Amino acid sequence: MSNSATKFVNELIQPLGERDIPEVLRSKVEDHRQNLEGLALSLASSGASEEMIRQVVSGAFASFEAEFTRTILEIRG
């Protein structure tokens, strides 16, 4: 699952990289990518199915994306 976890997380994060993200927040995207990858790998090592891993990681990402979007809008005023 490690390669597929990395690929899946990168596919989720990739659209964020296409946005005009303020420099101050770019490291936050990478930190979150690493956290999501760690979550996926932990779930895999605990025996979770790939479907379960995708659901949990997608949910965590959706929450981050919504918060991240609000933060960008606040920074831009």
Side-chain angles (χ1 to χ4, degrees):
M1 175 68 186
S2 66
N3 285 339
S4 60
T6 299
K7 183 179 178 188
F8 177 64
V9 169
N10 286 337
E11 288 170 358
L12 284 175
I13 293 286
Q14 194 236 346
L16 288 181
E18 296 170 357
R19 293 184 184 177
D20 182 22
I21 299 173
E23 190 62 37
V24 68
L25 297 177
R26 290 191 185 276
S27 67
K28 296 296 182 194
V29 172
E30 177 56 22
D31 290 348
H32 198 66
R33 187 200 65 73
Q34 290 176 6
N35 289 340
L36 289 173
E37 187 174 350
L39 174 60
L41 293 171
S42 292
L43 289 167
S45 70
S46 72
S49 69
E50 188 166 336
E51 180 180 336
M52 174 64 81
I53 294 167
R54 287 180 177 272
Q55 288 176 353
V56 171
V57 172
S58 292
F61 174 74
S63 175
F64 170 75
E65 184 177 32
E67 181 180 330
F68 192 73
T69 299
R70 280 191 301 275
T71 301
I72 289 174
L73 293 173
E74 289 174 7
I75 287 173
R76 292 191 176 152

